[in-house]
Amino acid sequence: MFAPLLHWIYDRKVPLLACVLCVALSFPLASRFLFSGEDAVLRMSAGPNFTRRHAVADYVRRQAEANGLSIQLIENAGSEDCLQRLKRGELDAALVSSGVVVPDDQDIRVLAAAHV
């Protein structure tokens, strides 16, 4: 009765073992992700805090906060500094001036151009 099943399992032991290991490893990884207790915070900059870009970024931050998303606004020297911080991984998003040359980088994407 179980002979065909045992033969099937024996013939596919390597893929089945790989599946079992993947499932076994997914539980601790998923629990670490789901139950870490840390809120995700988006790190964003728009340059100095006296610019119009910073005012727009602050408005976006307030709207996001009202909808459950935390954004940390980080002040810096300007658009070029924002791009350098993006490349180093210190920022997740940035509002930069038009006309700034965005470096040809695999990790930086221009999402939109807006007239403020």
Side-chain angles (χ1 to χ4, degrees):
M1 178 175 188
F2 291 109
L5 178 62
L6 292 175
H7 184 62
W8 184 85
I9 291 173
Y10 183 77
D11 287 344
R12 292 163 183 84
K13 62 185 169 209
V14 174
L16 286 173
L17 181 62
C19 289
V20 168
L21 286 174
C22 287
V23 169
L25 288 174
S26 68
F27 287 113
L29 292 174
S31 66
R32 237 175 67 193
F33 175 73
L34 294 173
F35 304 112
S36 67
E38 296 177 14
D39 292 333
V41 177
L42 180 75
R43 300 167 300 168
M44 185 168 80
S45 182
N49 65 1
F50 57 84
T51 62
R52 174 72 105 175
R53 288 188 323 274
H54 188 82
V56 170
D58 190 49
Y59 174 78
V60 169
R61 181 194 59 77
R62 288 192 313 268
Q63 293 299 312
E65 189 175 275
N67 290 290
L69 174 65
S70 297
I71 296 178
Q72 176 189 12
L73 281 181
I74 300 169
E75 184 181 0
N76 63 26
S79 295
E80 289 84 9
D81 190 26
C82 285
L83 293 173
Q84 291 303 319
R85 289 179 185 222
L86 278 170
K87 282 182 77 168
R88 291 192 303 259
E90 297 172 11
L91 293 175
D92 300 313
L95 299 177
V96 298
S97 296
S98 62
V100 174
V101 176
V102 177
D104 186 23
D105 193 311
Q106 299 274 339
D107 298 327
I108 296 178
R109 299 283 185 261
V110 176
L111 296 179
H115 178 69
V116 180

